[in-house]
Amino acid sequence: MSQFSLLGQRRFAPFFWTQALGAFNDNAFRNALVMLVAFQMGLDDRSVSLYTNLAPALFILPFFLFSATAGQLAEKYEKTRIIRWVKLFEIGAMALAAVGFLTHDTGLLLAVLFLMGLHSTTFGPIKYAILPQALKPQELVGGNGLVEMGTQLAMLIGMIAGNSLMLVTGIGPWLAAAATIAVAVAGYLASRRIPAAPATAPELRLNWNPLSETARVLGIVRRDGAVFNAVLGISWFWFFGTVLIAQLPNYTRETLGGDGSVNTLVLTLFSIGTGVGALLCERMSGRRVEIGLVPLGAFGLTVFGVDLYFARHGAAVAHGLDWLAFLRSGGSWRIALDLALIGVFAGFYVVPLFAFVQARAPREQLSRVIAGNNIVNALLIVLAAGFGLGLGVLGFDAVETFLAAAVLNVAVAAYIFTLVPEFPMRFITWVLVNTLYRVRVEGMRHVPEEGPALLVCNHVSFMDPLLLMANLRRPARFVMSYRIFDIPVLNFIFRTARAIPIAGQKEDPAVLAAAYEAIDQALAAGELVCIFPEGGLTRDGEIAPFRPGMLRVLERRPVPVVPMALRGLWGSVWSRRDTRLGRARLPRRFRARVELVVDAPVPPQPLRLEALEARVRQLRGALA
């Protein structure tokens, strides 16, 4: 089922439109305010500069002051009720904005800007914490992709609408006021349709001290190193995006020689690109939380950010070009492609990170984790502004600033991926599996979403653990021969995935004993463990008799057993059919079509080994 089907379901659609309309209004109001101050109030350049620089600071300030409190509220109370109060608050803020627009009261408008920042601060922890309550695990990436796409397009349309309506001669303030109030009312009406989302921590005691609660929220974020580094990655996305968008007006004017329509065009390319990348995440990840896309996204941001510099730099030869004249000029399509692809890879980068945080953080703390994420985001946005201003003082033009951010992205990505090797590990796995195979999965719903289980699968090729790893929606500990575990390059993946090497009793009794102990500890901790009970790779494509070692595991730790089977792997690359006398032969079937079939769990007791083996044989069918 396509992710777009969620737009027709009440558990998602009303929330989607509520958040999209809120993003529209934030940007419509802010841009209308800038247009009013810059073009309709007759202020001098110094006053205009003061207001336009003060506006972003006022909007971002509530994220520092109130994010921690907003996270608590989202945990303690039913989320839909909070959303409706937030939307009523937005209607009131837009009514005040209407007065400010019509009276040209900049003080009131700046106060409303602060209130809209407070609106976004309160809504933020709910926006991402409500998705795991409304969506199934396999829908999480698609839902996040839709939200990101909706946010980007709503922001873009809001920017254009705010600019255009305020500049209509004679009635601009009236149009801007009417539009923002109407959209706020529409957002409230949409919120009335959002189903209830129960409190995840109703017993939580509220701490109204913003400083101590901010420190506590950031401490919660740091408890899980992988979650914390995912938050750093999300915040870096906001840093990179802020630098890019802040430089676009100067880039449009000085490097491209374009007018306001060209600025709108480049904003549109970036926003649509991000939306497309966000939507593609579901298909590319196989409806799983696939953090292997994050390194791919980081790579693309740098490659196309650097190419944007080489596509055109220096002062423009001609000035005042409209968007059509720009597209007709030499080299313009390369620039347009770079901007769109920066957006696409930004989508690859940020959507899996949000889904990862939602899937990994404890449900009763997720809103506070998102609140902590918003605090770090706000800090990085401020640093991005300082970064751009600092490079400007040093004499960097807009395109040189893009290049600096793209190069800096390499260092930041390397730092994050060094701290969390799970990211590059998943990337290598994703590339290998999607390069070598075309995989169809059937019955993944049978794998328990939480709690321990023993996954049992036939063993056809050296790539079996990677193929399973790339398609299971939960991390699993793989028990494998120490010889496979020690294969160069793959060893990095297996160690990072905390695979469990095992040896025969005659080969190394100590390794065998350590493997049984590690398996028991993993199951006791509620993890999935996957074993290949044949004890080695098939030599002829047939399933070998199951060895009794798994019974020893179940006697010590009775857990559900999930039968699985791989089909179509025999004769593909890295199966024994490609090896004779230890010498590799050319692969018989590259990009093989393979299937992973998962059956319903069976109880651990009583469990007959022969019956389990027969079930796996039946699942494998005739396509081995």
Side-chain angles (χ1 to χ4, degrees):
M1 185 171 61
S2 167
Q3 67 199 93
F4 291 103
S5 64
L6 292 173
L7 294 175
Q9 300 182 35
R10 187 182 171 192
R11 59 195 173 97
F12 179 80
F15 166 75
F16 172 85
W17 291 112
T18 299
Q19 66 85 27
L21 290 168
F24 173 96
N25 244 12
D26 276 346
N27 288 272
F29 169 71
R30 280 191 285 171
N31 281 270
L33 170 59
V34 170
M35 290 299 102
L36 179 69
V37 169
F39 295 105
Q40 297 194 11
M41 293 181 59
L43 301 177
D44 57 53
D45 290 345
R46 188 169 183 178
S47 298
V48 170
S49 178
L50 172 65
Y51 285 123
T52 55
N53 284 285
L54 183 60
L58 283 173
F59 186 81
I60 207 73
L61 182 60
F63 285 90
F64 289 108
L65 297 178
F66 304 116
S67 283
T69 302
Q72 293 181 92
L73 294 173
E75 303 280 19
K76 186 173 178 62
Y77 300 109
E78 197 273 319
K79 294 180 178 62
T80 305
R81 184 181 303 174
I82 300 175
I83 291 175
R84 290 167 186 164
W85 281 109
V86 168
K87 294 288 109 180
L88 287 173
F89 178 86
E90 181 186 356
I91 294 173
M94 290 300 95
L96 288 176
V99 176
F101 284 149
L102 299 178
T103 62
H104 290 190
D105 188 334
T106 52
L108 178 59
L109 290 171
L110 291 176
V112 171
L113 189 61
F114 179 86
L115 294 178
M116 289 303 290
L118 179 59
H119 158 272
S120 296
T121 300
T122 308
F123 189 71
I126 301 172
K127 175 178 178 178
Y128 289 104
I130 200 173
L131 288 178
Q133 290 182 261
L135 303 179
K136 301 171 184 176
Q138 63 268 29
E139 296 172 333
L140 203 53
V141 173
N144 274 279
L146 286 170
V147 168
E148 185 64 30
M149 178 272 296
T151 300
Q152 290 294 329
L153 294 183
M155 290 170 61
L156 173 67
I157 297 169
M159 290 179 192
I160 296 171
N163 290 344
S164 303
L165 292 175
M166 185 56 74
L167 293 179
V168 175
T169 304
I171 58 172
W174 287 93
L175 291 177
T180 51
I181 291 176
V183 170
V185 171
Y188 172 72
L189 294 176
S191 74
R192 300 288 304 176
R193 296 280 298 164
I194 301 175
T200 53
E203 74 291 344
L204 182 68
R205 294 183 61 185
L206 295 177
N207 176 14
W208 296 102
N209 185 321
L211 295 179
S212 63
E213 186 59 26
T214 295
R216 185 167 70 172
V217 162
L218 293 176
I220 292 172
V221 174
R222 289 183 60 89
R223 284 178 191 170
D224 187 318
V227 169
F228 177 64
N229 285 288
V231 166
L232 292 181
I234 293 168
S235 299
W236 172 252
F237 164 79
W238 282 103
F239 180 100
F240 191 93
T242 299
V243 170
L244 182 71
I245 291 174
Q247 298 299 321
L248 283 182
N250 286 336
Y251 175 67
T252 299
R253 185 176 61 255
E254 297 170 3
T255 305
L256 304 184
D259 61 10
S261 67
V262 178
N263 185 64
T264 301
L265 173 65
V266 296
L267 269 174
T268 301
L269 289 169
F270 176 73
S271 298
I272 291 178
T274 304
V276 169
L279 292 176
L280 285 175
C281 284
E282 184 191 48
R283 177 174 291 274
M284 295 182 69
S285 64
R287 305 184 76 186
R288 298 177 305 279
V289 178
E290 182 51 83
I291 58 174
L293 293 178
V294 178
L296 177 66
F299 174 78
L301 288 177
T302 290
V303 167
F304 294 104
V306 170
D307 191 66
L308 191 63
Y309 171 81
F310 287 107
R312 187 179 300 177
H313 55 273
V317 176
H319 292 274
L321 301 176
D322 63 16
W323 68 274
L324 191 57
F326 163 71
L327 289 178
R328 289 171 176 167
S329 64
S332 61
W333 286 100
R334 178 180 173 185
I335 295 169
L337 185 63
D338 281 338
L339 287 165
L341 288 175
I342 288 172
V344 169
F345 282 92
F348 293 165
Y349 182 86
V350 74
V351 169
L353 286 175
F354 270 122
F356 177 78
V357 170
Q358 291 163 344
R360 181 69 69 93
R363 186 66 59 87
E364 69 277 6
Q365 295 179 344
L366 179 56
S367 293
R368 282 173 287 173
V369 169
I370 298 298
N373 168 75
N374 290 346
I375 295 169
V376 181
N377 289 353
L379 176 61
L380 266 290
I381 289 171
V382 172
L383 291 178
F387 177 80
L389 290 172
L391 292 185
V393 170
L394 294 175
F396 282 54
D397 62 18
V399 74
E400 289 169 339
T401 302
F402 293 159
L403 178 64
V407 173
L408 185 59
N409 181 62
V410 177
V412 172
Y415 172 73
I416 294 175
F417 300 153
T418 300
L419 290 178
V420 190
E422 187 177 354
F423 285 85
M425 178 271 288
R426 294 291 304 188
F427 173 65
I428 295 171
T429 302
W430 183 82
V431 170
L432 284 174
V433 170
N434 285 277
T435 299
L436 298 176
Y437 306 105
R438 288 167 289 176
V439 186
R440 187 179 75 86
V441 181
E442 180 182 329
M444 190 58 69
R445 66 187 182 280
H446 294 309
V447 177
E449 294 181 5
E450 56 185 22
L454 191 65
L455 311 181
V456 176
C457 191
N458 60 319
H459 204 2
V460 187
S461 78
F462 293 104
M463 294 290 290
D464 292 355
L466 270 67
L467 199 150
L468 295 174
M469 192 185 305
N471 287 281
L472 291 170
R473 294 196 181 101
R474 280 181 63 191
R477 303 282 299 277
F478 290 88
V479 182
M480 63 181 64
S481 166
Y482 69 94
R483 292 191 178 94
I484 297 178
F485 184 87
D486 289 333
I487 293 175
V489 179
L490 298 185
N491 175 255
F492 163 74
I493 298 174
F494 296 145
R495 282 188 293 105
T496 304
R498 300 187 302 136
I500 302 171
I502 196 168
Q505 180 67 38
K506 294 181 180 179
E507 291 178 294
D508 195 326
V511 171
L512 179 63
Y516 278 121
E517 186 63 30
I519 293 169
D520 186 68
Q521 291 178 2
L523 293 173
E527 297 182 273
L528 296 178
V529 175
C530 181
I531 65 172
F532 303 98
E534 297 166 84
L537 296 182
T538 178
R539 295 180 178 276
D540 57 7
E542 297 299 321
I543 295 178
F546 283 10
R547 297 185 179 183
M550 62 172 293
L551 297 179
R552 178 176 167 183
V553 172
L554 294 172
E555 287 172 2
R556 185 173 178 182
R557 185 76 57 181
V559 297
V561 178
V562 181
M564 306 192 304
L566 289 166
R567 297 174 175 174
L569 269 172
W570 179 247
S572 68
V573 64
W574 297 111
S575 67
R576 281 195 184 276
R577 184 172 172 178
D578 296 322
T579 306
R580 291 292 187 275
L581 303 177
R583 292 177 297 175
R585 301 175 65 190
L586 290 175
R588 301 286 183 87
R589 290 170 53 238
F590 187 74
R591 289 285 291 164
R593 291 185 181 274
V594 301
E595 295 178 321
L596 170 62
V597 186
V598 185
D599 199 11
V602 298
Q605 295 173 347
L607 179 69
R608 293 177 54 248
L609 201 61
E610 297 81 4
L612 183 63
E613 178 186 323
R615 184 61 189 137
V616 173
R617 287 179 182 275
Q618 184 180 3
L619 290 175
R620 187 204 57 176
L623 297 177

